Amino acid sequence: MKDRIINWRRELHQIPEPSGKEFRTKEYIMGQLKNMGLSPVEVGETGVYADTGKNPKVALRADMDALPIDEENDIPYRSTHPGMMHACGHDAHMAMVLGAGYMLAEEKIPARLIFQPSEETIPGGAKKLIELGVLDGIERIFGLHVDPTLERGKIASRKGVMMACSDEFEVEIKGKGGHGAYPHKTRDPIFISSLIITSLQGIVSRNVSPFSPVVISIGKIEGGNAFNIIPERVKFYGTVRTLKPDVKEFVKERIFGVINGIAGTHGAEARIEYRDGYPALVNHPDEVRTIEEESRGLFEYVEMEHPSMGGEDFSYYLEHVKGAFAFLGIRNEEKGIVYPLHSPRFEVDEEVLLPGAVLLTRLVRRYEDKKD
Ligand code: NI
């Protein structure tokens, strides 16, 4: 079983695909599910689910997409798709759910295996899959995400909010270009953007309570062509992380206020495109306890002290059914497995894959055994 799961992970690692374009991945998963004697059902363009028995009550979810990163690992199962890499461990997630499905199917224990596309890109695949009915008849759902900051052998989760609401925004400041020597004849969008970007941090530090975590990060700025030309426009792009819906709405409103206010003050125009992202991931406490209990003998359970400011569209499932999400430790300094998620040198300690799959089967059994 261990070799089988590692092999699935390695084969998937070689065919990473972007969000929403997981066609080969879907074919591969469907092939493996059919080999187990299951009848996979396609959902949407690239999603798949399969039931290991009749009327399952528990679902296990794996995400399928990879990232536009050039892999720098020198390994025999390196990515064969140039510029794409499974640098977030979704290959490992799929392999573990396949492994759990294999074991559950052999024992004739019903579970729904959900392979979900497009976790990395807003609006995400989860919402669409739910609309298409993947949770019909399901009462509970579980998901794992590998975590290279956590030692191999540990598993971490948290009752209540575990991950942040993650929004994105795109801003264009339209000023008036001109010669760098005569700034008074322009409306300098670089100067104005710099004031806006600085002031956005004032929302975090001056507008929101220090007891409500908020992150605003600008990750990209575009504008200008030469050292002595003031450009016509500047664009910048950012992400917003919050933990509560009311704080998110307040921060969103303030972002519009600050940007429009400062642009207006300096005679420029602002165009803001704000994209609401995934809601905060809120675990159901009893199901977190289940993960803790069922981890015994497989992993050391750690209750996270505070939520992660990362985002996950697993949050949508938890708005519909009970369940919980957990981080599975894959860090191994001896093997050099220390690189963060989304790094071109990200790796997974594959020793966790079998116990991870076994844990998933235990989570299903816990609720299926109780059924009459
Ligand atoms: Ni991920």
Side-chain angles (χ1 to χ4, degrees):
M1 196 66 230
K2 181 179 165 185
D3 292 344
R4 203 185 285 265
I5 297 177
I6 290 175
N7 188 54
W8 281 324
R9 186 253 160 174
R10 292 184 174 191
E11 290 192 342
L12 287 162
H13 191 80
Q14 292 176 60
I15 54 162
E17 295 173 294
S19 304
K21 304 238 163 8
E22 305 90 341
F23 295 103
R24 281 188 73 185
T25 308
K26 178 187 75 174
E27 290 308 319
Y28 180 86
I29 294 286
M30 289 184 64
Q32 297 307 319
L33 293 167
K34 283 177 189 163
N35 288 345
M36 297 176 200
L38 304 179
S39 309
V41 180
E42 295 180 57
V43 261
E45 274 186 59
T46 52
V48 187
Y49 77 86
D51 293 348
T52 58
K54 278 206 164 70
N55 305 320
K57 297 283 177 233
V58 184
L60 303 173
R61 175 271 207 169
D63 38 13
M64 302 166 78
D65 48 337
L67 291 153
I69 292 175
D70 246 323
E71 176 155 22
E72 286 176 16
N73 290 319
D74 187 16
I75 43 175
Y77 50 92
R78 198 171 180 273
S79 166
T80 60
H81 293 176
M84 289 304 299
M85 177 186 175
H86 266 298
C88 199
H90 299 186
D91 49 349
H93 306 161
M94 289 185 276
M96 286 189 286
V97 171
L98 281 172
Y102 187 97
M103 291 184 270
L104 291 163
E106 278 209 321
E107 295 174 55
K108 305 206 178 337
I109 298 172
R112 179 161 297 162
L113 317 173
I114 299 175
F115 297 89
Q116 178 218 300
S118 200
E119 189 283 321
E120 298 282 356
T121 309
I122 289 174
K127 204 175 173 204
K128 191 173 166 198
L129 258 54
I130 295 167
E131 283 162 9
L132 293 171
V134 293
L135 290 181
D136 291 356
I138 295 299
E139 291 170 3
R140 282 189 178 75
I141 189 161
F142 292 95
L144 297 176
H145 201 298
V146 294
D147 181 355
T149 67
L150 195 64
E151 292 295 324
R152 182 188 102 191
K154 292 185 177 174
I155 188 163
S157 185
R158 193 170 192 282
K159 295 175 189 84
V161 58
M162 174 177 169
M163 295 182 77
C165 167
S166 54
D167 298 343
E168 302 175 346
F169 62 87
E170 200 178 310
V171 180
E172 184 179 76
I173 301 300
K174 190 177 170 293
K176 185 168 170 254
H179 198 300
Y182 314 110
H184 54 292
K185 295 187 173 167
T186 72
R187 302 256 191 251
D188 182 356
I190 289 187
F191 168 69
I192 297 164
S193 295
S194 70
L195 294 175
I196 292 172
I197 291 168
T198 307
S199 298
L200 287 174
Q201 296 309 326
I203 299 173
V204 179
S205 69
R206 303 290 91 183
N207 296 164
V208 178
S209 158
F211 301 105
S212 285
V214 175
V215 174
I216 301 175
S217 291
I218 306 300
K220 182 178 174 185
I221 309 182
E222 289 171 352
N225 285 309
F227 61 91
N228 59 354
I229 303 170
I230 291 169
E232 194 78 10
R233 57 192 82 220
V234 168
K235 284 180 86 173
F236 55 90
Y237 306 75
T239 184
V240 184
R241 306 295 167 111
T242 50
L243 297 180
K244 291 183 196 145
D246 57 331
V247 175
K248 173 230 153 98
E249 288 307 324
F250 174 72
V251 168
K252 179 179 175 180
E253 200 187 302
R254 290 297 301 135
I255 286 174
F256 277 81
V258 166
I259 294 171
N260 285 323
I262 294 176
T265 296
H266 293 278
E269 262 173 56
R271 187 184 59 76
I272 308 165
E273 200 182 309
Y274 193 98
R275 285 185 288 272
D276 296 301
Y278 308 150
L281 187 153
V282 185
N283 281 324
H284 297 250
D286 288 347
E287 282 65 26
V288 174
R289 206 165 303 125
T290 301
I291 291 181
E292 178 177 359
E293 289 168 10
E294 299 300 332
S295 291
R296 277 181 205 140
L298 294 172
F299 301 106
E300 179 196 336
Y301 176 82
V302 186
E303 177 86 10
M304 291 160 66
E305 227 173 284
H306 51 74
S308 152
M309 295 310 276
E312 237 303 335
D313 71 348
F314 190 80
S315 55
Y316 286 111
Y317 299 104
L318 296 178
E319 291 186 338
H320 290 83
V321 295
K322 290 180 182 174
F325 196 63
F327 290 130
L328 189 60
I330 51 162
R331 186 181 184 84
N332 188 330
E333 298 207 9
E334 271 172 34
K335 291 188 189 168
I337 299 173
V338 295
Y339 294 96
L341 296 171
H342 298 203
S343 157
R345 299 191 64 186
F346 171 79
E347 244 296 28
V348 171
D349 187 339
E350 293 173 324
E351 293 299 315
V352 308
L353 299 180
L354 177 62
V358 170
L359 171 63
L360 294 174
T361 65
R362 286 190 186 179
L363 296 173
V364 171
R365 215 178 275 134
R366 169 80 166 242
Y367 297 100
E368 285 297 339
D369 284 352
K370 276 191 194 155
K371 275 203 311 188
D372 42 33

